[in-house]
Amino acid sequence: MSSSARKIAALAIACFAIAEARAQTNSAIEQARLFQNTPTATNTAVNADGMALGNDVTSDDDSFGTQVILKERERIRNFTFAGDASVFYTDNAELTRHDKSDDVLYVVNAGLSWTPQINPRLEAQVAAHGSFFRYNSTSALDFENLGVGAGLVWSPENVGGVVFFARYDFIEILDRHSAEILRDHEFAIGGQKVWTFGKSQAFTLGAAATGGIAEPSAAQRQQAAAFLAYHVQIARGFDADLFYKLAGHFYNRADRNDLNQIIFGSLRYRLSRCADLNAFVSFGTNRSDRPGFDYDVLTSGGGLGFTIRF
């Protein structure tokens, strides 16, 4: 092979490697955001932006109803430490439209939050979390998700029980070599209302708008979303949740608009006041005006979680 041919071949290999690395980075960002905005089996009591559905849908004595949704202030524990270890199966690890590849991933989450009561109608939250995602076969998609955030939850009188929230989150996503692949500042506002039925069921309807500043700028987006959630206490220590979210994603620096849908169901069995077993299945679709970002994905899994309030 001539020197010129070798140079051309080397350049082609380098271009292919760069394109593949970018594709893997995009897939990791998409997967990280998908998991970030999808309730899992251990956080089904929060909405799509991390705010509590009715503050807390389970109580220490396994009762459920208006008295729990309103959450008697004297029973609030301001600090919460929570975590879980789970195993998931996904039928579309790289979030592609065609030539799907399935995989198994292992996820470990941990988080600490402080929820001070400012007044009877206004509550603040400061939180930090870390998550590790490891794929069994597609190790190039491994990532860590780190974040800190703060928010306010306002329950004004005379608005029919609607709760409003606003929050800021800083999110950093790292690859398997601890190199940063996304830095995101997100600002969210929204509202939700919880209806309770007897002592065992609740239905939540809400909407939220999110904007942010991201690096790389091609990942910067705004989001408008509506969500529905249904919670039922099946038996003492055993509950189920259904969740649906419809969202528009608008990438103003990448000439891209997406319509995203997520639906999932989960079951949780409380082993003790602090520990639970959980399982869930979800299905997500993404339709974009850039066909390379169209995908359908089915994910299922379960694990062991814990929550400590103090």
Side-chain angles (χ1 to χ4, degrees):
M1 182 183 291
S2 67
S3 175
S4 296
R6 284 196 296 269
K7 289 180 180 178
I8 292 173
L11 180 61
I13 292 171
C15 290
F16 176 79
I18 291 172
E20 185 178 37
R22 286 177 176 172
Q24 291 171 345
T25 297
N26 287 336
S27 294
I29 291 174
E30 293 289 324
Q31 279 282 21
R33 281 178 160 172
L34 179 66
F35 275 96
Q36 172 190 328
N37 290 293
T38 305
T40 66
T42 55
N43 72 352
T44 54
V46 301
N47 69 20
D49 293 284
M51 304 307 295
L53 292 177
N55 295 327
D56 196 348
V57 294
T58 59
S59 70
D60 290 339
D61 60 2
D62 289 313
S63 64
F64 185 77
T66 304
Q67 74 279 9
V68 179
I69 291 296
L70 295 178
K71 194 139 183 200
E72 297 174 12
R73 300 305 175 186
E74 66 272 19
R75 297 182 61 190
I76 287 180
R77 297 174 176 87
N78 286 339
F79 290 91
T80 301
F81 178 54
D84 63 82
S86 304
V87 179
F88 297 150
Y89 166 82
T90 177
D91 72 342
N92 191 0
E94 299 183 44
L95 298 180
T96 58
R97 182 62 171 167
H98 305 289
D99 301 321
K100 295 181 182 180
S101 59
D102 61 350
D103 207 345
V104 174
L105 60 154
Y106 311 95
V107 183
V108 177
N109 297 299
L112 178 65
S113 66
W114 175 46
T115 311
Q117 195 72 31
I118 299 174
N119 63 47
R121 293 286 174 179
L122 185 63
E123 186 175 273
Q125 183 187 65
V126 180
H129 75 271
S131 303
F132 295 84
F133 293 74
R134 293 295 181 264
Y135 288 79
N136 185 54
S137 301
T138 323
S139 59
L141 297 178
D142 292 350
F143 66 91
E144 290 99 48
N145 188 337
L146 307 174
V148 294
L152 294 171
V153 181
W154 181 38
S155 307
E157 295 184 87
N158 305 318
V159 292
V162 177
V163 176
F164 299 95
F165 59 85
R167 64 179 294 112
Y168 160 78
D169 288 283
F170 171 73
I171 299 161
E172 185 176 39
I173 299 174
L174 311 174
D175 67 14
R176 57 178 172 161
H177 303 296
S178 297
E180 184 181 80
I181 59 176
L182 177 68
R183 185 189 311 126
D184 205 356
H185 300 268
E186 291 189 354
F187 303 87
I189 59 172
Q192 62 186 34
K193 178 175 172 58
V194 179
W195 290 268
T196 59
F197 306 97
K199 295 183 177 181
S200 63
Q201 301 178 70
F203 176 78
T204 301
L205 174 65
T210 304
I213 302 171
E215 181 61 40
S217 59
Q220 185 168 306
R221 70 182 186 182
Q222 289 76 47
Q223 175 181 264
F227 54 90
L228 308 170
Y230 173 71
H231 177 89
V232 58
Q233 194 79 35
I234 299 172
R236 183 178 178 85
F238 185 44
D239 55 77
D241 289 91
L242 291 173
F243 179 89
Y244 173 76
K245 175 187 171 186
L246 175 66
H249 300 160
F250 310 101
Y251 294 78
N252 58 332
R253 297 193 179 186
D255 191 25
R256 171 187 166 194
N257 297 313
D258 293 4
L259 181 65
N260 185 275
Q261 297 183 80
I262 297 170
I263 183 169
F264 89 83
S266 72
L267 295 171
R268 180 174 61 172
Y269 179 71
R270 298 186 66 185
L271 299 173
S272 68
R273 182 169 295 187
C274 298
D276 56 73
L277 286 173
N278 46 75
F280 90 104
V281 59
S282 72
F283 178 73
T285 68
N286 198 76
R287 296 295 177 263
S288 176
D289 55 11
R290 297 179 62 182
F293 292 96
D294 287 353
Y295 64 80
D296 300 321
V297 58
L298 176 69
T299 304
S300 61
L304 177 67
F306 70 89
T307 303
I308 300 172
R309 295 181 174 89
F310 54 95

